[in-house]
Amino acid sequence: MTLPPRRVRSTHWQPIGVTELEPNATTVVTSTEHRSVLAGPGAGKTELLAQRAAFLLQTGACIAPQRILAISFKRDAARNLARRVRQRCHRDHASRFDSMTFDAFAKGLVDRFGQALPAQWRPTPDYGILFPKKAFWADFLRRAAIATDNPFGRFEVQTLSVDDFERQHVLGEPLPTAGWKPESAGQWAGARFWSNQLRSDERSYLSFAMLSRLAEMLVRVNTSVRNALALTYSHVFLDEFQDTTQAQFDLVRTIFFGTRTVITAVGDNKQQIMRFAHAMDDPFDTFEATFGARRIPLLSNYRSSPQLVHIQHVLAQALDSAVAQPESKAPSSIADTCCAIWDFASVNVEAARLAQYVATQMRHQGLGPGDFVLLVRQKAEDYVRILAPAFAAEGIQLRNEAAYVGAQMLQELLTEPLSELVLLVLRIACGVQGGTSWTLLQHALAELRGVAPTDDRARRALARDIDTFAHQFRNQYPQPPATEAEMRVAVQMVITFLGRDMLKAAYATYQQGEWLLDVHHSISLHLYASASQAHNWAAALDTYEGVNALSLMTLHKSKGLEYHTVIFIGLDDSAWWSYPQDTAEATAGFFVAFTRAKQRVIFTYTPQRGARSTIAPLYALLKAAGVQTTVIT
């Protein structure tokens, strides 16, 4: 029999799973009003939100059946937060915590209520997802300029900026229910684009940003939906708030402004690196002015050593001169310098010496490949081509997280719900892992099949189903399939066990178009490639996850991750070509890369890739922080 959750008086509540919270964090956790939380690197944003969820649920501040909505930007961040809440709370409490991405939240609203939109804004029920690139916008504007129904003339449309068109004219403001009456070439082209995407093909094709705009209109014109959301969620968490777009903020404002829902927005304005993806200029100021939220900083850094935190503060002051001095809560575990710039004569010397250095550190310091990361600003494949052979010569597999597998980037594939579920099932079915994997799989299946946390009988049935499937799969595939086609069939067997319809019901992104099929294809490709390097299922699944590989990724994809040692390759004008166009965002990206490190940061430079005159201010910041340059031969 499962015991019911126990309610705790707010005055008696204590943090769970941690020894203590800093005073400002405690203020946020127990707050009854809107809060704007500036949480620097390593401040423990996920833990803060998990503790706040535990406080609200365990003290009854979030009264059943009301729920908490947490919105993150990355799928893995949303799932990590949900997992943390499950670890801190009774399962009845944790079942009232909804953690999802902004894209999933907006898409879910459109999928459930989209047919209630005004006719001219109503997408087809089977709409597909659009991922527009710069070339796509250039082609659209070229065709729009020469369209016979263009009332503003070819020149006016041709002079519209390809870089700014989407932000300004497609997503720039809430959609008018009666449609636009274009007064400029930009408005006309924007309206034409919406019409094309909603009506021109057999089905609509919409980007996730467009879905945010449609979701905002939906709740604006349907007060019953808006009221239901406001009544359902007594509290809302907005994670990584510095990267919020205007469309996303408008959606939150339309739903919750003027209601009793309490919003906690957490992020770091010094880590705003998504302006290219339409992040607002001053989201915290806008939130505080709109909702009357009170700002509070978190002052602890639980990730980086005191020496690194000192350097981080110098960099942070270049982004915000009023930033508070953080306090490191992490010990220093290395005796040598924590940060350096290494100059190499050539890219080949750089590759060989870096590989030797990492191998030596792994042998003598008890570190593994996962303790290191190689960061680049862009064009990861160009660096991998030279670095991978050098690392292989030292017995280290280099893994390009930015490589594409089918329709998806590898790093993003691994955070796909289907990929995570397939991996869990295979580990259990092939006898690779028990314990944690078994618990996670049983919990995931319970969610897919709608089994309540308190239904012990149904959960025992789930356990029997897992055992039965594991036995069948093991008999059919004692070793990984030898062909890509066979691997695709094996993955299909897992998907059938999970339930395709249940997957679509549970994950909004799989409900329309061919995305579920695309993810199935990418999983099969990556699993087959992983198995070709392995001799059994255990090794294949480890390769799939990159368990024994050293990751190389772009700095944008490193957000939210942490490593013992960060090696940033290519601190030169060529990699940072856009630095003069947006110095603030480039400096923020530099700051993000630096703050992934727990103990050490190494920057590399070689004149073979380019000069370092344009980015001299970044070198000046490092010099001001006491970072020395060493010539490595």
Side-chain angles (χ1 to χ4, degrees):
M1 179 179 178
T2 303
L3 295 175
R6 182 172 62 89
R7 179 177 291 189
V8 181
R9 289 186 179 182
S10 59
T11 53
H12 294 168
W13 183 86
Q14 294 292 323
I16 302 164
V18 296
T19 54
E20 64 178 359
L21 296 173
E22 67 169 271
N24 281 4
T26 300
T27 297
V28 174
V29 164
T30 60
S31 179
T32 59
E33 57 189 17
H34 301 305
R35 285 285 183 177
S36 171
V37 185
L38 290 186
K45 293 186 284 292
T46 301
E47 187 61 49
L48 171 79
L49 293 176
Q51 294 292 338
R52 177 150 173 76
F55 173 83
L56 295 171
L57 293 165
Q58 292 166 350
T59 63
C62 175
I63 304 172
Q66 287 187 303
R67 309 176 68 83
I68 299 171
L69 172 64
I71 306 179
S72 303
F73 277 81
K74 296 171 68 176
R75 286 189 299 264
D76 53 345
R79 280 193 288 280
N80 287 340
L81 178 53
R83 190 175 299 122
R84 195 83 61 98
V85 171
R86 288 197 298 271
Q87 293 169 347
R88 303 286 180 263
C89 295
H90 187 282
R91 59 191 186 186
D92 283 3
H93 284 150
S95 68
R96 292 196 286 123
F97 184 80
D98 296 331
S99 183
M100 64 189 75
T101 63
F102 247 123
D103 288 343
F105 179 59
K107 189 178 190 304
L109 290 175
V110 174
D111 292 347
R112 291 166 62 195
F113 308 111
Q115 298 311 298
L117 282 162
Q120 72 181 93
W121 295 106
R122 191 179 305 151
T124 58
D126 63 340
Y127 67 86
I129 298 297
L130 176 72
F131 297 95
K133 304 293 184 182
K134 185 173 182 178
F136 174 90
W137 297 112
D139 181 64
F140 167 78
L141 288 174
R142 179 188 59 78
R143 288 184 288 106
I146 61 176
T148 57
D149 61 340
N150 174 5
F152 293 92
R154 178 182 297 189
F155 177 77
E156 290 295 320
V157 175
Q158 284 178 333
T159 56
L160 294 173
S161 169
V162 173
D163 293 328
D164 297 332
F165 175 71
E166 182 185 19
R167 179 172 188 156
Q168 289 187 5
H169 303 297
V170 176
L171 307 170
E173 59 187 28
L175 304 175
T177 55
W180 278 300
K181 295 180 179 179
E183 298 178 355
S184 68
Q187 286 183 341
W188 173 81
R192 182 183 182 86
F193 178 78
W194 273 100
S195 178
N196 283 358
Q197 296 309 120
L198 286 166
R199 300 281 169 264
S200 62
D201 292 316
E202 292 183 0
R203 61 175 176 165
S204 306
Y205 280 90
L206 306 167
S207 67
F208 281 111
M210 295 170 75
L211 287 171
S212 287
R213 278 294 177 213
L214 287 176
E216 188 279 331
M217 172 187 279
L218 191 155
V219 294
R220 179 168 19 107
V221 300
N222 291 275
T223 56
S224 59
V225 175
R226 175 183 181 271
N227 292 340
L229 289 167
L231 289 172
T232 298
Y233 295 113
S234 64
H235 294 79
V236 173
F237 302 165
L238 302 175
D239 195 12
E240 298 293 352
F241 189 66
Q242 75 278 354
D243 293 327
T244 300
T245 68
Q246 188 66 56
Q248 292 166 342
F249 181 76
D250 288 347
L251 174 57
V252 171
R253 177 173 53 193
T254 298
I255 298 171
F256 298 111
F257 180 75
T259 71
R260 299 179 67 178
T261 300
V262 178
I263 301 178
T264 305
V266 182
D268 185 2
N269 54 3
K270 302 182 299 302
Q271 297 189 61
Q272 189 184 60
I273 59 173
M274 300 298 289
R275 286 203 214 176
F276 72 92
H278 314 311
M280 297 167 65
D281 291 334
D282 296 299
F284 288 98
D285 289 345
T286 302
F287 172 61
E288 290 158 12
T290 302
F291 286 89
R294 297 177 61 187
R295 181 177 294 197
I296 188 169
L298 298 187
L299 303 175
S300 297
N301 185 319
Y302 296 94
R303 176 188 301 148
S304 302
S305 68
Q307 296 90 336
L308 283 181
V309 168
H310 166 73
I311 300 173
Q312 288 173 16
H313 186 58
V314 174
L315 303 180
Q317 288 176 311
L319 294 161
D320 181 359
S321 59
V323 65
Q325 172 75 56
E327 179 184 358
S328 172
K329 299 289 187 179
S332 177
S333 64
I334 60 174
D336 56 336
T337 182
C338 70
C339 184
I341 302 166
W342 288 357
D343 279 11
F344 297 96
S346 70
V347 294
N348 290 322
V349 172
E350 175 188 63
R353 294 304 302 271
L354 286 177
Q356 293 165 10
Y357 173 77
V358 171
T360 300
Q361 288 290 308
M362 289 171 58
R363 282 195 299 270
H364 300 303
Q365 302 301 323
L367 300 174
D371 291 310
F372 299 83
V373 69
L374 304 184
L375 295 185
V376 298
R377 190 153 190 262
Q378 58 185 0
K379 297 182 179 179
E381 64 280 1
D382 292 347
Y383 295 86
V384 171
R385 195 176 301 115
I386 297 170
L387 291 164
F391 276 82
E394 297 292 336
I396 303 171
Q397 179 189 355
L398 193 61
R399 177 180 169 99
N400 180 8
E401 302 286 351
Y404 274 83
V405 181
Q408 288 188 284
M409 186 181 292
L410 177 57
Q411 188 176 2
E412 294 175 350
L413 172 64
L414 296 183
T415 66
E416 277 286 345
L418 180 59
S419 177
E420 292 187 338
L421 288 168
V422 167
L423 195 65
L424 277 176
V425 173
L426 289 178
R427 286 200 178 277
I428 297 300
C430 301
V432 176
Q433 266 184 2
T436 301
S437 292
W438 177 273
T439 302
L440 290 173
L441 178 57
Q442 191 175 36
H443 176 80
L445 275 181
E447 287 191 335
L448 282 176
R449 300 183 183 183
V451 175
T454 54
D455 193 341
D456 293 336
R457 182 176 180 179
R459 285 181 171 265
R460 286 194 295 271
L462 283 180
R464 290 193 296 271
D465 287 348
I466 294 171
D467 282 338
T468 300
F469 177 79
H471 180 73
Q472 293 173 345
F473 190 91
R474 240 185 334 262
N475 284 342
Q476 189 162 345
Y477 297 104
Q479 296 295 326
T483 68
E484 182 184 318
E486 285 183 284
M487 185 65 79
R488 187 175 179 85
V489 173
V491 174
Q492 178 59 56
M493 185 175 175
V494 177
I495 293 173
T496 300
F497 168 67
L498 293 169
R500 184 174 294 271
D501 290 341
M502 292 177 185
L503 287 166
K504 288 185 175 183
Y507 303 104
T509 52
Y510 297 154
Q511 291 171 4
Q512 270 76 35
E514 303 298 326
W515 190 241
L516 181 59
L517 192 63
D518 289 342
V519 176
H520 176 187
H521 178 61
S522 295
I523 292 171
S524 302
L525 286 175
H526 184 42
L527 193 53
Y528 172 68
S530 300
S532 67
Q533 307 172 40
H535 56 279
N536 57 33
W537 275 112
L541 297 177
D542 282 349
T543 301
Y544 184 97
E545 283 194 282
V547 171
N548 298 310
L550 192 156
S551 292
L552 181 147
M553 66 184 70
T554 63
L555 68 87
H556 281 89
K557 294 300 181 181
S558 73
K559 191 82 175 293
L561 304 176
E562 57 183 38
Y563 301 88
H564 176 280
T565 296
V566 169
I567 302 174
F568 194 102
I569 300 175
L571 192 55
D572 54 61
D573 294 350
S574 177
W576 294 77
W577 59 270
S578 63
Y579 179 82
Q581 283 75 50
D582 195 340
T583 301
E585 181 166 353
T587 305
F590 184 74
F591 181 73
V592 166
F594 192 100
T595 57
R596 300 308 93 203
K598 298 177 183 179
Q599 296 294 330
R600 182 187 289 111
V601 181
I602 296 168
F603 295 97
T604 76
Y605 171 79
T606 170
Q608 190 173 348
R609 276 194 296 262
R612 48 184 169 188
S613 55
T614 301
I615 60 166
L618 295 182
Y619 277 91
L621 282 174
L622 292 175
K623 184 177 181 180
V627 178
Q628 301 295 313
T629 298
T630 302
V631 176
I632 308 292
T633 59

